[in-house]
């Protein structure tokens, strides 16, 4: 479920997780119904939409994109980590798109699970083609790319870093990591390295070496999962599940 920060002059919505229902982790669900209702309550304040999503349900994505499109106030989408699949055309629906220099945006053709006879499979394929055409239209309208180029990029499953996204017209601005780090360093210290700012930043921001410990550090997965013979770990995306043999 997305988080909200509603301040006096500006509001922020965190669109982190799955677009639509996430049956593996309901807390990561972001449904169009809830998102649209939230935006109606926040309107017409200027709105920041912070995005970190690998996508999800295409029609839920259309609903969220429509809610952003009809929002009465100014909207800015920030790609904090990733805006992939359904999250990509949600991001570009905002008035302005800002990406961290380490963020990624991905577009691809729609896909689905289906079954049935030949006629039913042909219908499913036609529906996917229609969905692809709709998504390509949104991307082309925002970026200024030719529709044929957008379709080719979707067919190839194209990943854009921040620079490539700006060049393609999918983003408007890049937040440089170096600038963020420099802002956190004492100017008096940084001034000593004015002829080599990158070296200064790297030296001052490098993590300190930790003292050796008696026991090796354990990963989050190791700390949270007990040993259990007769089972194996199943990795799906970024999640780890234990299953019986």
């Amino acid at each position: 479920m997305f988080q909200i920060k509603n301040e006096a002059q500006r509001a922020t919505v965190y669109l982190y997780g799955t677009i639509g229902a996430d049956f593996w982790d309901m807390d990561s669900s972001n449904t169009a119904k809830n998102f649209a209702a939230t935006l109606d309550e926040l309107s017409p304040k200027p709105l920041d939409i912070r995005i970190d999503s690998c996508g999800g349900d295409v029609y839920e994505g259309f609903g969220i994109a429509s809610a952003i499109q009809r929002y009465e106030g100014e909207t800015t989408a920030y790609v904090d980590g990733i805006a992939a699949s359904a999250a990509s055309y949600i991001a570009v629906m905002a008035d302005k798109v800002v990406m961290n220099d380490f963020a990624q945006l991905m577009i691809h053709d729609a896909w689905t699970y289906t079954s049935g006879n030949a006629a039913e499979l042909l219908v499913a394929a036609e529906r996917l083609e229609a969905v692809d055409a709709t998504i390509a239209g949104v991307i082309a309208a925002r970026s200024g790319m030719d529709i044929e180029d957008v379709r080719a990029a979707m067919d190839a499953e194209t990943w854009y870093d921040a620079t490539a996204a700006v060049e393609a017209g999918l983003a408007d601005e890049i937040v440089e990591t170096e600038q963020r780090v420099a802002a956190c360093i004492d100017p008096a210290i940084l001034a000593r390295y004015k002829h080599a700012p990158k070296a200064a930043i790297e030296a001052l921001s490098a993590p300190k070496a930790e003292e050796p410990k008696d026991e090796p550090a354990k990963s989050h997965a190791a700390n949270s999962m007990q040993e259990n013979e007769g089972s194996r770990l199943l990795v799906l995306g970024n999640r780890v599940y234990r299953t019986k043999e």
Side-chain angles (χ1 to χ4, degrees):
M1 184 65 177
F2 51 87
Q3 301 296 315
I4 307 161
K5 184 166 67 174
N6 189 2
E7 299 177 336
Q9 301 300 322
R10 196 173 192 92
T12 303
V13 173
Y14 292 84
L15 192 60
Y16 281 20
T18 302
I19 304 303
D22 188 326
F23 300 103
W24 295 99
D25 181 8
M26 292 306 295
D27 289 337
S28 294
S29 298
N30 298 282
T31 67
K33 179 180 180 180
N34 291 336
F35 188 87
T38 297
L39 263 57
D40 286 344
E41 294 175 359
L42 298 175
S43 182
K45 290 182 181 179
L47 178 68
D48 294 332
I49 307 163
R50 316 288 314 202
I51 300 175
D52 185 26
S53 172
C54 291
D57 186 287
V58 64
Y59 294 109
E60 291 282 343
F62 287 159
I64 291 174
S66 294
I68 296 172
Q69 183 183 43
R70 65 174 178 269
Y71 189 78
E72 294 181 359
E74 170 195 341
T75 57
T76 303
Y78 291 87
V79 182
D80 290 343
I82 185 170
S85 190
S88 66
Y89 53 83
I90 288 174
V92 302
M93 194 60 69
D95 298 323
K96 182 179 180 181
V97 181
V98 181
M99 292 180 65
N100 284 317
D101 58 0
F102 50 79
Q104 295 277 315
L105 187 148
M106 183 272 278
I107 62 175
H108 68 163
D109 288 336
W111 61 275
T112 188
Y113 291 109
T114 188
S115 63
N117 58 36
E120 291 168 330
L121 294 179
L122 287 172
V123 169
E126 291 174 358
R127 289 175 179 171
L128 286 176
E129 281 289 336
V131 168
D132 289 340
T134 300
I135 295 172
V138 173
I139 299 296
R142 172 52 190 255
S143 66
M145 298 168 62
D146 291 336
I147 194 72
E148 293 81 7
D149 293 335
V150 175
R151 290 302 303 268
M154 290 171 59
D155 288 343
E157 185 180 298
T158 303
W159 292 76
Y160 299 88
D161 60 17
T163 300
V166 170
E167 291 175 351
L170 297 172
D172 304 293
E173 185 179 321
I174 301 173
V175 177
E176 300 288 346
T177 302
E178 185 174 309
Q179 294 173 354
R180 285 182 173 272
V181 175
C184 298
I185 299 175
D186 187 332
I189 297 176
L190 188 59
R192 302 176 191 173
Y193 299 87
K194 61 182 179 180
H195 297 299
K198 290 187 177 180
I201 292 169
E202 292 175 358
L204 294 172
S205 62
K208 297 180 179 179
E210 297 183 358
E211 293 294 330
K213 299 179 181 179
D214 294 336
E215 295 183 1
K218 296 180 178 179
S219 68
H220 174 75
N223 286 329
S224 61
M225 302 186 73
Q226 301 297 319
E227 294 295 332
N228 184 7
E229 294 185 0
S231 66
R232 62 185 177 88
L233 298 182
L234 174 64
V235 180
L236 294 176
N238 292 326
R239 301 186 180 88
V240 181
Y241 304 91
R242 188 178 296 284
T243 62
K244 292 185 178 180
E245 292 288 357

